[in-house]
Amino acid sequence: PRQIMVSGRADGGQAHDATLADERAMTVIRAMYAAGIDPAIIQKVPCAPPADNTGTAAHLVVVTFLP
């Protein structure tokens, strides 16, 4: 891929929720670095969960590969 976009998600709108989402994204990014993926093509982007996702369903990391 030309670029990889990574965003962490969490439910809730509190600062703690944003921190958890960021930590999730960074865990995936560090794994990509360890796998040898060029850090220059990885970008962490902010992302809010869809309104209908709550609880553990909203706790995820979205990785998008751009050609």
Side-chain angles (χ1 to χ4, degrees):
R2 181 178 47 89
Q3 186 175 20
I4 301 172
M5 301 177 76
V6 180
S7 62
R9 292 185 179 175
D11 61 339
Q14 303 298 319
H16 178 72
D17 298 313
T19 299
L20 289 174
D22 187 65
E23 289 173 359
R24 288 184 185 99
M26 287 308 302
T27 297
V28 170
I29 289 171
R30 283 191 292 276
M32 289 180 178
Y33 292 163
I37 296 174
D38 181 5
I41 68 168
I42 301 172
Q43 179 182 358
K44 184 170 55 106
V45 295
C47 187
D52 59 344
N53 270 2
T54 59
T56 57
H59 299 175
L60 55 96
V61 175
V62 176
V63 179
T64 305
F65 297 90
L66 302 175

